[in-house]
Amino acid sequence: MTRKPLYAATLMVAAGASFALVNTALQAATMLHGAASPAVTFWQYLIALGFYIPWINRHRLAVLRTRQAGLHVLRVGLAALGVQLWVWGLAHVPIWQAIALIMLSPFFVTSGAGLLLGEQVTPQRWGAVLLGILGGAIILEPWSDRFQLTALLPIAAAAFWAAASVVTKYLTREDGPETVTIYLLILLTPINFALAAGTGFSLPQSALWFVVGAGLLTALAQHVLVRAYSLADAAFLQPFDHLKLPLNVALGFVAFGFAPTGSMWLGTAVILGASLFLLNRESRAARPA
């Protein structure tokens, strides 16, 4: 019982690390190698689905059995809009600017978890989310004159992904992580196909391996994320989602030389402090009397 919050938080951090690698690969494919965003998204998720084909074949229809088909469709629609806006944003702005606005997503998820899922959103949980946003602002300084208008694209992605996260948490009450993940990948394929049809499906050869890597990491990240939601409240997990910020910033600097001008270490310390504080409080509360 006492280890459950730690395990769920670890999975959330692992998902964030995987998504950070995905973002780096996507930005390399689109910004550096000129691949069209819709085509990249289509192949990314088709490759992720291909990773699950052996699993689907082994378990036949059992993994696809669900009584929540409508909610799966809703989740996928929300996620598809978020993905398109996110990849579009990555094609135009440095990743640290995009992440500045995506930091609003945990705030939206925490609100939805309390209002729609009936989760208990304690002052400690709200405090950790708000401190995470503060830490991100310290790192990124989105108010500076270097902030580009095109970076506003990720704020819409944040809203759609937050809604998708709330639906994901609800789905895990009945469906397992494999079912939730596979439905996402299956239902996204025709949506991404339609969106990519207008620009074509071809990729520059130099971008191919970046897209393949992004697809495989997407399968891993989605599975780990759903597993985390199946083990803990969505409101509890959100502060740990903030940890993807320093990971994205670090990878963006190593791969592209993008670096925010804010105080990186102070902001990271605030984010880590908020997450560790909440984990400590939740672990204490989970201990039997």
Side-chain angles (χ1 to χ4, degrees):
M1 180 71 173
T2 59
R3 294 183 179 179
K4 193 172 180 180
L6 176 61
Y7 183 45
T10 301
L11 289 175
M12 196 69 174
V13 174
S18 299
F19 279 124
L21 289 169
V22 169
N23 291 336
T24 303
L26 292 178
Q27 191 152 47
T30 55
M31 182 179 287
L32 297 185
H33 297 280
S37 299
V40 168
T41 304
F42 169 75
W43 289 113
Q44 172 196 355
Y45 279 88
L46 187 64
I47 291 167
L49 176 60
F51 178 82
Y52 271 99
I53 294 299
W55 181 279
I56 297 173
N57 184 60
R58 187 180 308 118
H59 296 275
R60 303 298 178 182
L61 296 180
V63 74
L64 297 177
R65 189 175 295 117
T66 181
R67 298 185 300 175
Q68 305 181 96
L71 287 177
H72 282 288
V73 172
L74 174 61
R75 180 204 178 203
V76 166
L78 294 168
L81 287 170
V83 166
Q84 291 298 323
L85 289 165
W86 177 245
V87 176
W88 187 14
L90 289 181
H92 294 283
V93 299
I95 197 168
W96 62 269
Q97 289 185 340
I99 292 293
L101 291 173
I102 213 71
M103 291 289 289
L104 294 173
S105 184
F107 184 84
F108 295 148
V109 174
T110 301
S111 301
L115 294 174
L116 302 177
L117 299 180
E119 293 183 3
Q120 182 183 11
V121 185
T122 63
Q124 291 82 9
R125 291 180 176 184
W126 276 120
V129 169
L130 294 174
L131 281 174
I133 294 174
L134 174 61
I138 291 173
I139 293 174
L140 300 167
E141 292 182 334
W143 51 81
S144 73
D145 58 4
R146 290 169 293 274
F147 191 76
Q148 300 179 38
L149 185 61
T150 48
L152 293 176
L153 288 168
I155 197 169
F160 282 112
W161 276 344
S165 294
V166 173
V167 176
T168 300
K169 174 58 183 176
Y170 190 89
L171 285 168
T172 61
R173 294 176 175 181
E174 287 193 19
D175 295 339
E178 295 81 11
T179 299
V180 175
T181 303
I182 290 171
Y183 263 104
L184 172 74
L185 299 176
I186 289 176
L187 293 173
L188 269 178
T189 298
I191 295 174
N192 290 334
F193 179 89
L195 291 170
T199 58
F201 300 94
S202 62
L203 296 171
Q205 187 172 3
S206 58
L208 182 61
W209 288 111
F210 290 106
V211 177
V212 170
L216 295 176
L217 285 167
T218 296
L220 173 64
Q222 290 289 347
H223 182 85
V224 173
L225 178 68
V226 176
R227 178 62 174 161
Y229 277 125
S230 72
L231 294 173
D233 286 350
F236 163 70
L237 290 170
Q238 294 318 296
F240 302 98
D241 194 38
H242 286 307
L243 293 172
K244 68 186 177 187
L245 171 60
L247 293 173
N248 274 282
V249 171
L251 286 173
F253 176 74
V254 171
F256 311 110
F258 297 149
T261 57
S263 180
M264 173 72 178
W265 298 113
L266 177 58
T268 301
V270 172
I271 293 172
L272 287 172
S275 299
L276 292 174
F277 167 76
L278 182 62
L279 180 60
N280 181 60
R281 291 296 298 265
E282 297 280 341
S283 297
R284 286 185 179 181
R287 293 194 186 106

mmCIF file of all heavy atoms in Angstrom, residues 108-136:
data_model
loop_
_atom_site.group_PDB
_atom_site.id
_atom_site.type_symbol
_atom_site.label_atom_id
_atom_site.label_comp_id
_atom_site.label_asym_id
_atom_site.label_seq_id
_atom_site.Cartn_x
_atom_site.Cartn_y
_atom_site.Cartn_z
ATOM 1 N N PHE A 108 -5.248 21.996 -15.692
ATOM 2 C CA PHE A 108 -6.533 21.627 -16.272
ATOM 3 C C PHE A 108 -6.950 20.229 -15.814
ATOM 4 O O PHE A 108 -8.123 19.986 -15.520
ATOM 5 C CB PHE A 108 -6.454 21.648 -17.810
ATOM 6 C CG PHE A 108 -6.211 23.011 -18.394
ATOM 7 C CD1 PHE A 108 -5.479 23.153 -19.567
ATOM 8 C CD2 PHE A 108 -6.697 24.155 -17.787
ATOM 9 C CE1 PHE A 108 -5.256 24.406 -20.128
ATOM 10 C CE2 PHE A 108 -6.475 25.401 -18.327
ATOM 11 C CZ PHE A 108 -5.755 25.528 -19.498
ATOM 12 N N VAL A 109 -6.006 19.288 -15.771
ATOM 13 C CA VAL A 109 -6.322 17.918 -15.368
ATOM 14 C C VAL A 109 -6.767 17.880 -13.909
ATOM 15 O O VAL A 109 -7.735 17.199 -13.563
ATOM 16 C CB VAL A 109 -5.109 16.984 -15.582
ATOM 17 C CG1 VAL A 109 -5.405 15.594 -15.027
ATOM 18 C CG2 VAL A 109 -4.771 16.887 -17.062
ATOM 19 N N THR A 110 -6.061 18.591 -13.048
ATOM 20 C CA THR A 110 -6.420 18.622 -11.633
ATOM 21 C C THR A 110 -7.832 19.172 -11.448
ATOM 22 O O THR A 110 -8.627 18.655 -10.657
ATOM 23 C CB THR A 110 -5.409 19.464 -10.839
ATOM 24 O OG1 THR A 110 -4.103 18.899 -11.005
ATOM 25 C CG2 THR A 110 -5.753 19.474 -9.359
ATOM 26 N N SER A 111 -8.170 20.216 -12.192
ATOM 27 C CA SER A 111 -9.516 20.786 -12.121
ATOM 28 C C SER A 111 -10.557 19.763 -12.572
ATOM 29 O O SER A 111 -11.584 19.569 -11.914
ATOM 30 C CB SER A 111 -9.608 22.036 -12.998
ATOM 31 O OG SER A 111 -8.669 23.006 -12.597
ATOM 32 N N GLY A 112 -10.276 19.097 -13.704
ATOM 33 C CA GLY A 112 -11.212 18.110 -14.211
ATOM 34 C C GLY A 112 -11.353 16.907 -13.304
ATOM 35 O O GLY A 112 -12.446 16.351 -13.155
ATOM 36 N N ALA A 113 -10.247 16.490 -12.662
ATOM 37 C CA ALA A 113 -10.304 15.347 -11.749
ATOM 38 C C ALA A 113 -11.216 15.633 -10.572
ATOM 39 O O ALA A 113 -11.945 14.758 -10.095
ATOM 40 C CB ALA A 113 -8.902 14.998 -11.257
ATOM 41 N N GLY A 114 -11.172 16.868 -10.084
ATOM 42 C CA GLY A 114 -12.037 17.230 -8.969
ATOM 43 C C GLY A 114 -13.484 17.396 -9.383
ATOM 44 O O GLY A 114 -14.403 16.916 -8.701
ATOM 45 N N LEU A 115 -13.722 18.058 -10.513
ATOM 46 C CA LEU A 115 -15.089 18.385 -10.938
ATOM 47 C C LEU A 115 -15.801 17.201 -11.578
ATOM 48 O O LEU A 115 -17.011 16.999 -11.357
ATOM 49 C CB LEU A 115 -15.056 19.559 -11.922
ATOM 50 C CG LEU A 115 -14.584 20.905 -11.347
ATOM 51 C CD1 LEU A 115 -14.452 21.933 -12.469
ATOM 52 C CD2 LEU A 115 -15.557 21.405 -10.289
ATOM 53 N N LEU A 116 -15.093 16.406 -12.391
ATOM 54 C CA LEU A 116 -15.737 15.363 -13.177
ATOM 55 C C LEU A 116 -15.545 13.958 -12.616
ATOM 56 O O LEU A 116 -16.421 13.103 -12.783
ATOM 57 C CB LEU A 116 -15.212 15.408 -14.620
ATOM 58 C CG LEU A 116 -15.427 16.749 -15.352
ATOM 59 C CD1 LEU A 116 -14.797 16.699 -16.744
ATOM 60 C CD2 LEU A 116 -16.911 17.086 -15.453
ATOM 61 N N LEU A 117 -14.410 13.699 -11.999
ATOM 62 C CA LEU A 117 -14.137 12.355 -11.485
ATOM 63 C C LEU A 117 -14.420 12.215 -10.004
ATOM 64 O O LEU A 117 -14.387 11.113 -9.459
ATOM 65 C CB LEU A 117 -12.672 11.975 -11.755
ATOM 66 C CG LEU A 117 -12.244 11.937 -13.224
ATOM 67 C CD1 LEU A 117 -10.779 11.553 -13.326
ATOM 68 C CD2 LEU A 117 -13.121 10.975 -14.022
ATOM 69 N N GLY A 118 -14.690 13.324 -9.341
ATOM 70 C CA GLY A 118 -14.976 13.271 -7.912
ATOM 71 C C GLY A 118 -13.763 12.975 -7.050
ATOM 72 O O GLY A 118 -13.913 12.566 -5.885
ATOM 73 N N GLU A 119 -12.550 13.163 -7.585
ATOM 74 C CA GLU A 119 -11.354 12.936 -6.771
ATOM 75 C C GLU A 119 -11.190 14.044 -5.732
ATOM 76 O O GLU A 119 -11.633 15.177 -5.945
ATOM 77 C CB GLU A 119 -10.110 12.894 -7.660
ATOM 78 C CG GLU A 119 -10.061 11.690 -8.589
ATOM 79 C CD GLU A 119 -8.787 11.636 -9.408
ATOM 80 O OE1 GLU A 119 -7.920 12.501 -9.215
ATOM 81 O OE2 GLU A 119 -8.657 10.717 -10.230
ATOM 82 N N GLN A 120 -10.553 13.693 -4.654
ATOM 83 C CA GLN A 120 -10.277 14.692 -3.616
ATOM 84 C C GLN A 120 -9.047 15.495 -4.018
ATOM 85 O O GLN A 120 -7.945 14.958 -4.110
ATOM 86 C CB GLN A 120 -10.030 14.015 -2.271
ATOM 87 C CG GLN A 120 -9.775 15.011 -1.147
ATOM 88 C CD GLN A 120 -9.452 14.324 0.167
ATOM 89 O OE1 GLN A 120 -9.221 13.116 0.197
ATOM 90 N NE2 GLN A 120 -9.431 15.083 1.254
ATOM 91 N N VAL A 121 -9.243 16.767 -4.284
ATOM 92 C CA VAL A 121 -8.134 17.650 -4.655
ATOM 93 C C VAL A 121 -7.775 18.465 -3.410
ATOM 94 O O VAL A 121 -8.369 19.497 -3.118
ATOM 95 C CB VAL A 121 -8.510 18.570 -5.829
ATOM 96 C CG1 VAL A 121 -7.299 19.397 -6.264
ATOM 97 C CG2 VAL A 121 -9.018 17.747 -7.007
ATOM 98 N N THR A 122 -6.791 17.969 -2.689
ATOM 99 C CA THR A 122 -6.406 18.586 -1.432
ATOM 100 C C THR A 122 -5.625 19.871 -1.672
ATOM 101 O O THR A 122 -5.089 20.097 -2.776
ATOM 102 C CB THR A 122 -5.529 17.617 -0.625
ATOM 103 O OG1 THR A 122 -4.321 17.361 -1.366
ATOM 104 C CG2 THR A 122 -6.257 16.294 -0.379
ATOM 105 N N PRO A 123 -5.526 20.728 -0.660
ATOM 106 C CA PRO A 123 -4.687 21.920 -0.803
ATOM 107 C C PRO A 123 -3.242 21.580 -1.179
ATOM 108 O O PRO A 123 -2.598 22.332 -1.913
ATOM 109 C CB PRO A 123 -4.773 22.565 0.584
ATOM 110 C CG PRO A 123 -6.080 22.107 1.143
ATOM 111 C CD PRO A 123 -6.254 20.711 0.631
ATOM 112 N N GLN A 124 -2.752 20.433 -0.674
ATOM 113 C CA GLN A 124 -1.384 20.038 -1.015
ATOM 114 C C GLN A 124 -1.246 19.737 -2.513
ATOM 115 O O GLN A 124 -0.245 20.074 -3.137
ATOM 116 C CB GLN A 124 -0.977 18.801 -0.198
ATOM 117 C CG GLN A 124 -0.806 19.063 1.293
ATOM 118 C CD GLN A 124 -2.136 19.053 2.036
ATOM 119 O OE1 GLN A 124 -3.168 18.692 1.472
ATOM 120 N NE2 GLN A 124 -2.114 19.470 3.296
ATOM 121 N N ARG A 125 -2.270 19.099 -3.082
ATOM 122 C CA ARG A 125 -2.226 18.788 -4.512
ATOM 123 C C ARG A 125 -2.299 20.063 -5.349
ATOM 124 O O ARG A 125 -1.564 20.218 -6.322
ATOM 125 C CB ARG A 125 -3.361 17.835 -4.875
ATOM 126 C CG ARG A 125 -3.187 16.436 -4.294
ATOM 127 C CD ARG A 125 -4.328 15.504 -4.666
ATOM 128 N NE ARG A 125 -4.086 14.145 -4.165
ATOM 129 C CZ ARG A 125 -4.868 13.102 -4.392
ATOM 130 N NH1 ARG A 125 -5.969 13.257 -5.117
ATOM 131 N NH2 ARG A 125 -4.581 11.916 -3.910
ATOM 132 N N TRP A 126 -3.192 20.973 -4.976
ATOM 133 C CA TRP A 126 -3.258 22.252 -5.688
ATOM 134 C C TRP A 126 -1.947 23.015 -5.556
ATOM 135 O O TRP A 126 -1.444 23.599 -6.516
ATOM 136 C CB TRP A 126 -4.398 23.108 -5.131
ATOM 137 C CG TRP A 126 -5.743 22.805 -5.712
ATOM 138 C CD1 TRP A 126 -6.856 22.393 -5.042
ATOM 139 C CD2 TRP A 126 -6.132 22.893 -7.086
ATOM 140 N NE1 TRP A 126 -7.909 22.217 -5.908
ATOM 141 C CE2 TRP A 126 -7.493 22.525 -7.173
ATOM 142 C CE3 TRP A 126 -5.461 23.243 -8.263
ATOM 143 C CZ2 TRP A 126 -8.187 22.499 -8.367
ATOM 144 C CZ3 TRP A 126 -6.158 23.217 -9.458
ATOM 145 C CH2 TRP A 126 -7.501 22.849 -9.505
ATOM 146 N N GLY A 127 -1.393 23.007 -4.349
ATOM 147 C CA GLY A 127 -0.146 23.725 -4.119
ATOM 148 C C GLY A 127 0.986 23.181 -4.964
ATOM 149 O O GLY A 127 1.790 23.945 -5.522
ATOM 150 N N ALA A 128 1.066 21.839 -5.075
ATOM 151 C CA ALA A 128 2.132 21.238 -5.870
ATOM 152 C C ALA A 128 1.983 21.587 -7.346
ATOM 153 O O ALA A 128 2.969 21.864 -8.041
ATOM 154 C CB ALA A 128 2.117 19.717 -5.680
ATOM 155 N N VAL A 129 0.742 21.596 -7.860
ATOM 156 C CA VAL A 129 0.511 21.965 -9.259
ATOM 157 C C VAL A 129 0.920 23.414 -9.510
ATOM 158 O O VAL A 129 1.603 23.743 -10.488
ATOM 159 C CB VAL A 129 -0.972 21.748 -9.637
ATOM 160 C CG1 VAL A 129 -1.279 22.385 -10.986
ATOM 161 C CG2 VAL A 129 -1.288 20.257 -9.685
ATOM 162 N N LEU A 130 0.501 24.313 -8.623
ATOM 163 C CA LEU A 130 0.810 25.732 -8.805
ATOM 164 C C LEU A 130 2.308 26.009 -8.684
ATOM 165 O O LEU A 130 2.862 26.835 -9.416
ATOM 166 C CB LEU A 130 0.026 26.566 -7.788
ATOM 167 C CG LEU A 130 -1.497 26.561 -7.980
ATOM 168 C CD1 LEU A 130 -2.186 27.300 -6.830
ATOM 169 C CD2 LEU A 130 -1.877 27.181 -9.314
ATOM 170 N N LEU A 131 2.969 25.299 -7.772
ATOM 171 C CA LEU A 131 4.415 25.455 -7.655
ATOM 172 C C LEU A 131 5.123 24.936 -8.906
ATOM 173 O O LEU A 131 6.140 25.495 -9.334
ATOM 174 C CB LEU A 131 4.936 24.719 -6.424
ATOM 175 C CG LEU A 131 4.747 25.435 -5.083
ATOM 176 C CD1 LEU A 131 5.168 24.526 -3.940
ATOM 177 C CD2 LEU A 131 5.547 26.733 -5.049
ATOM 178 N N GLY A 132 4.578 23.862 -9.505
ATOM 179 C CA GLY A 132 5.161 23.363 -10.739
ATOM 180 C C GLY A 132 5.069 24.380 -11.862
ATOM 181 O O GLY A 132 6.016 24.581 -12.622
ATOM 182 N N ILE A 133 3.923 25.051 -11.956
ATOM 183 C CA ILE A 133 3.757 26.095 -12.963
ATOM 184 C C ILE A 133 4.726 27.244 -12.687
ATOM 185 O O ILE A 133 5.345 27.804 -13.610
ATOM 186 C CB ILE A 133 2.305 26.593 -12.986
ATOM 187 C CG1 ILE A 133 1.380 25.472 -13.476
ATOM 188 C CG2 ILE A 133 2.160 27.828 -13.881
ATOM 189 C CD1 ILE A 133 -0.093 25.805 -13.400
ATOM 190 N N LEU A 134 4.878 27.617 -11.415
ATOM 191 C CA LEU A 134 5.817 28.676 -11.046
ATOM 192 C C LEU A 134 7.241 28.291 -11.427
ATOM 193 O O LEU A 134 7.995 29.104 -11.984
ATOM 194 C CB LEU A 134 5.731 28.950 -9.541
ATOM 195 C CG LEU A 134 6.763 29.944 -8.973
ATOM 196 C CD1 LEU A 134 6.597 31.306 -9.612
ATOM 197 C CD2 LEU A 134 6.648 30.025 -7.456
ATOM 198 N N GLY A 135 7.617 27.035 -11.140
ATOM 199 C CA GLY A 135 8.966 26.586 -11.500
ATOM 200 C C GLY A 135 9.196 26.642 -12.993
ATOM 201 O O GLY A 135 10.268 27.040 -13.464
ATOM 202 N N GLY A 136 8.162 26.261 -13.772
ATOM 203 C CA GLY A 136 8.289 26.345 -15.218
ATOM 204 C C GLY A 136 8.460 27.775 -15.701
ATOM 205 O O GLY A 136 9.252 28.058 -16.602
#
